[in-house]
Amino acid sequence: MGSSSNRDSERVGLLNLSIHQLSVLLRRREVSSREVTQACLSAIEKLQPLLNPFIHVESDAALRQADIADQAITKGKIKGVLHGIPLAHKDIFFRKGRRSTCGSKIRENFYPETTATVLEKIDAAGAVDLGGLNLAEFCVGPTGHNDHFGHCRNPWNPMHVSGGSSSGSGSAVAARLIYGSIGSDTGGSIRLPAGMCGVVGLKPTHGRVSLYGAMPRCWSLDVFGPITRTVRDAAILFDAIAGFDERDPWSRAVDVSSCVEKLDRSIKGQRIGVPENYLFPQLSNELKKVHDQALVVFKDIGAELVSIKMPDPEELYLWTTIINRVEAGYIHKEWIQTRRDDYNTSTITRIADGFDISAVDYIDALERRHQANKKFNQMVFQQCDVLYCPLLLIDTPTIADTDIHNEASAGSIVHHVTQATRWVSYVGLPTLALPIGFSSAGLPVSAQLISPRFTEDCLLTLGDAYQKVTDWHNINPPNSALNL
């Protein structure tokens, strides 16, 4: 009885490891992929009723993949760092013959005939896929509300949102149910769940990761990227999925050298720009104090803090919204005409607004992007190497307060939720969501590190340097696999 209890404790302890740490144990055959996968599945079974991060769990398929991974390890045929690691991904990525709901009633029983490029690359790296994660319907919504499959909940406090639209990814990674996830981001949908759940999220440059084989939200803005517990793990996943794909018309052929190999570079003299005219003045004294402390850490490890002025993000925010809603309206036009009542109220409200935006305004918003990016680079990145911004201007809100039926607060709060993230998508810049502390309510506080296009390695190196001297990413939520 005692030995069984000790074994169970050891399995739970495995769930607190990073991808990097677990990979070492798997290669040494100190633990098997089946054992780790079973530990994840057991934890999911216990926490799914409370947090609701999964839409479907593929237990049998995952265990088969784990056994194949173990057999390969025995033969010395290890595919890389992700070999045998249990992951799960936002339920918009198609896997041939497997259900992909996109968080919707309309695609509740959709079985695609293709597999997404990102999943093909994850498979080629030897990872184990545990299933499809919850999300705001069709990626529409920054809070993760979903009337069809139930709202996903924050493991730090289940009364609060886990962020959207990749809500299940943020919640499951933070709760130690999986080791990492691929989400999508159109205006904050990787960064917000990562930030609200106290984990790491990387929004790559538009075109750096293939969009092929997934449900689109907005072609001009969509990006796919990792959500993980550590920056090093984000680099591992990003290395696995980045690269040109001729099947994706948005894909860009750029350097795909390993970000992991660059993590240990010195950041001494790296200029971090802190905006003095926007975003920071809107923070409460409590949140500002947390950010000030994080900036002190960056200074202590060798970075140079530079006070800068930046373009008004509200103007960029408005142009982002125009593109987002018009393209979503076009993508969904047939379903809106034939199955309007099958949408969440919040989803149809945001999508249908696209029909009221003129073609002139849409093209104007597209045409302004190049000039906006040029102006942003001139104003910001001539003064600094990386821009530091808050991720949220408010504390993580509750599920009740952000319900669209709560007319007293929902609209205003949702705007504040996306105020610091959506505009970044317009200028197409890579961004790292990084946990930097907690509010007095015990909820995570996170920052955004933003850099020029195709410089994800710079963000990851800076974020990893921060995590080497801080411990925020190692703090365990009260509602996690480690506390069962």
Side-chain angles (χ1 to χ4, degrees), residues 404-453:
I404 194 171
H405 301 295
N406 186 346
E407 297 179 1
S409 63
S412 174
I413 292 176
V414 167
H415 175 73
H416 286 306
V417 165
T418 58
Q419 198 172 354
T421 61
R422 185 177 293 182
W423 62 271
V424 185
S425 296
Y426 186 74
V427 283
L429 302 175
T431 309
L432 183 71
L434 186 71
I436 59 167
F438 293 87
S439 70
S440 58
L443 296 168
V445 178
S446 294
Q448 292 184 102
L449 300 178
I450 305 166
S451 64
R453 289 164 56 82

Side-chain angles (χ1 to χ4, degrees), residues 39-74:
C40 289
L41 292 171
S42 297
I44 292 167
E45 183 179 5
K46 293 173 183 176
L47 279 174
Q48 175 67 16
L50 175 65
L51 301 178
N52 196 34
F54 277 83
I55 288 179
H56 54 92
V57 180
E58 306 295 334
S59 302
D60 293 341
L63 289 170
R64 285 195 297 271
Q65 290 174 12
D67 288 340
I68 292 171
D70 286 332
Q71 291 167 11
I73 292 172
T74 301

Side-chain angles (χ1 to χ4, degrees), residues 139-334:
C139 306
V140 181
T143 58
H145 285 76
N146 190 310
D147 293 339
H148 303 306
F149 295 98
H151 309 323
C152 186
R153 297 178 179 273
N154 195 314
W156 293 95
N157 185 333
M159 299 298 291
H160 289 254
V161 300
S162 60
S165 61
S166 308
S167 51
S169 297
S171 180
V173 171
R176 279 57 171 175
L177 303 181
I178 54 176
Y179 292 90
S181 176
I182 305 301
S184 69
D185 192 310
T186 307
S189 291
I190 288 172
R191 291 163 285 160
L192 289 169
M196 292 181 182
C197 294
V199 293
V200 173
L202 175 66
K203 182 195 90 68
T205 308
H206 187 261
R208 191 78 190 265
V209 176
S210 175
L211 302 179
Y212 177 79
M215 180 69 201
R217 169 70 170 91
C218 170
W219 302 290
S220 299
L221 303 173
D222 286 349
V223 295
F224 302 154
I227 295 178
T228 57
R229 278 188 44 221
T230 71
V231 174
R232 183 170 290 271
D233 285 355
I236 290 169
L237 269 180
F238 179 66
D239 278 355
I241 63 174
F244 177 72
D245 181 6
E246 63 181 9
R247 297 175 295 182
D248 172 21
W250 300 96
S251 187
R252 297 292 177 264
V254 295
D255 173 47
V256 289
S257 58
S258 172
C259 288
V260 174
E261 293 177 359
K262 300 175 183 178
L263 290 182
D264 293 324
R265 295 176 300 182
S266 171
I267 66 159
K268 188 173 182 179
Q270 190 98 349
R271 297 173 302 163
I272 298 179
V274 184
E276 63 184 36
N277 54 336
Y278 294 111
L279 303 177
F280 272 92
Q282 300 178 56
L283 292 175
S284 67
N285 288 335
E286 179 189 349
L287 292 180
K288 188 175 185 303
K289 183 178 180 181
V290 177
H291 286 283
D292 287 343
Q293 291 170 343
L295 288 168
V296 169
V297 173
F298 280 114
K299 185 177 180 179
D300 288 344
I301 59 177
E304 177 186 350
L305 303 183
V306 182
S307 180
I308 68 167
K309 290 185 178 181
M310 61 177 283
D312 184 355
E314 193 62 27
E315 187 177 44
L316 304 177
Y317 182 102
L318 293 174
W319 291 333
T320 314
T321 301
I322 289 172
I323 295 172
N324 196 329
R325 295 193 175 184
V326 170
E327 293 190 10
Y330 179 82
I331 291 167
H332 289 267
K333 64 177 183 177
E334 290 188 16

Side-chain angles (χ1 to χ4, degrees), residues 50-124:
L50 175 65
L51 301 178
N52 196 34
F54 277 83
I55 288 179
H56 54 92
V57 180
E58 306 295 334
S59 302
D60 293 341
L63 289 170
R64 285 195 297 271
Q65 290 174 12
D67 288 340
I68 292 171
D70 286 332
Q71 291 167 11
I73 292 172
T74 301
K75 297 175 182 178
K77 297 180 179 180
I78 299 172
K79 296 180 178 180
V81 182
L82 290 175
H83 191 107
I85 304 288
L87 309 172
H89 311 292
K90 189 174 186 176
D91 202 28
I92 62 165
F93 300 111
F94 302 159
R95 183 177 290 285
K96 185 176 179 179
R98 190 181 81 178
R99 187 168 70 127
S100 180
T101 69
C102 306
S104 70
K105 183 177 181 180
I106 291 171
R107 288 211 154 177
E108 185 175 8
N109 295 303
F110 170 62
Y111 290 82
E113 297 180 358
T114 58
T115 297
T117 298
V118 290
L119 294 191
E120 289 179 344
K121 290 191 170 189
I122 292 292
D123 292 347

